[in-house]
């Protein structure tokens, strides 16, 4: 399975939620935590498009070093896909990889929560079985 992320890390949000006792966390640190949680999954390929807002530009090398530590064979791009031509090129890259499943996210704060991989592996097995039965488009 391919990990494919496309994110923009910023402190500026259009919406804010009252999360009770939750302390506000640094967005780049939250993204790093999310990446660490996903590193438990044995990806066939990791592709990360990550643009940093001006307030985080001085932490680019820190993020790059962290990403490579988690995913040694990562394709790490320092911009976010925002134009159709960028997406087309990115999809060509994904389709060239010999893997039928892609874990796609445009969120910098979504973590992998499970404590083991059994449920995820079961989902992948079901997807593969559906494809064997002739279903061309499957998702989970």
């Amino acid at each position: 399975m391919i990990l494919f992320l496309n994110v923009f890390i910023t402190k500026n949000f259009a919406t804010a939620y009252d999360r009770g006792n939750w302390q506000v966390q640094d967005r780049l640190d939250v993204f790093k935590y999310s990446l660490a949680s996903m590193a438990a999954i044995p990806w066939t390929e990791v592709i990360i498009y990550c643009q940093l807002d001006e307030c985080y530009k001085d932490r680019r090398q820190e993020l790059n070093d962290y990403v490579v530590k988690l995913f040694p064979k990562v394709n790490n791009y320092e911009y976010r896909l925002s134009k159709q031509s960028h997406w087309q090129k990115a999809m060509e890259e994904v389709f060239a990889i010999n893997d039928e499943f892609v874990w796609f996210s445009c969120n910098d704060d979504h973590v992998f929560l499970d404590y083991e991989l059994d449920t995820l592996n079961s989902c992948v097995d079901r997807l593969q079985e559906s494809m064997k039965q002739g279903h061309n488009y499957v998702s989970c």
Side-chain angles (χ1 to χ4, degrees), residues 91-128:
M91 292 302 94
E92 289 171 4
E93 177 183 8
V94 169
F95 297 148
I97 300 168
N98 188 24
D99 195 317
E100 56 210 3
F101 300 119
V102 177
W103 180 306
F104 172 72
S105 180
C106 286
N107 296 293
D108 62 346
D109 61 351
H110 287 198
V111 297
F112 179 68
L113 294 174
D114 212 335
Y115 61 93
E116 40 87 340
L117 299 176
D118 291 347
T119 302
L120 176 62
N121 291 335
S122 177
C123 290
V124 171
D125 291 344
R126 285 183 176 208
L127 293 172
Q128 289 171 332

Side-chain angles (χ1 to χ4, degrees), residues 39-84:
I41 300 169
W43 307 105
T44 56
E45 194 86 27
V46 176
I47 303 169
I48 301 174
Y49 288 88
C50 178
Q51 181 176 338
L52 299 180
D53 203 351
E54 287 299 319
C55 60
Y56 289 116
K57 294 283 185 184
D58 62 335
R59 294 182 65 191
R60 171 52 76 180
Q61 191 59 51
E62 170 194 340
L63 177 60
N64 288 350
D65 292 345
Y66 189 76
V67 166
V68 169
K69 180 180 169 187
L70 293 175
F71 311 107
K73 296 181 181 180
V74 66
N75 295 325
N76 190 23
Y77 301 96
E78 296 184 3
Y79 62 94
R80 174 180 56 157
L81 301 171
S82 59
K83 297 180 180 179
Q84 183 178 9

Side-chain angles (χ1 to χ4, degrees), residues 11-24:
K11 292 180 183 179
N12 302 320
F13 296 97
T15 59
Y17 300 100
D18 178 7
R19 300 188 190 236
N21 293 327
W22 178 253
Q23 304 271 329
V24 175

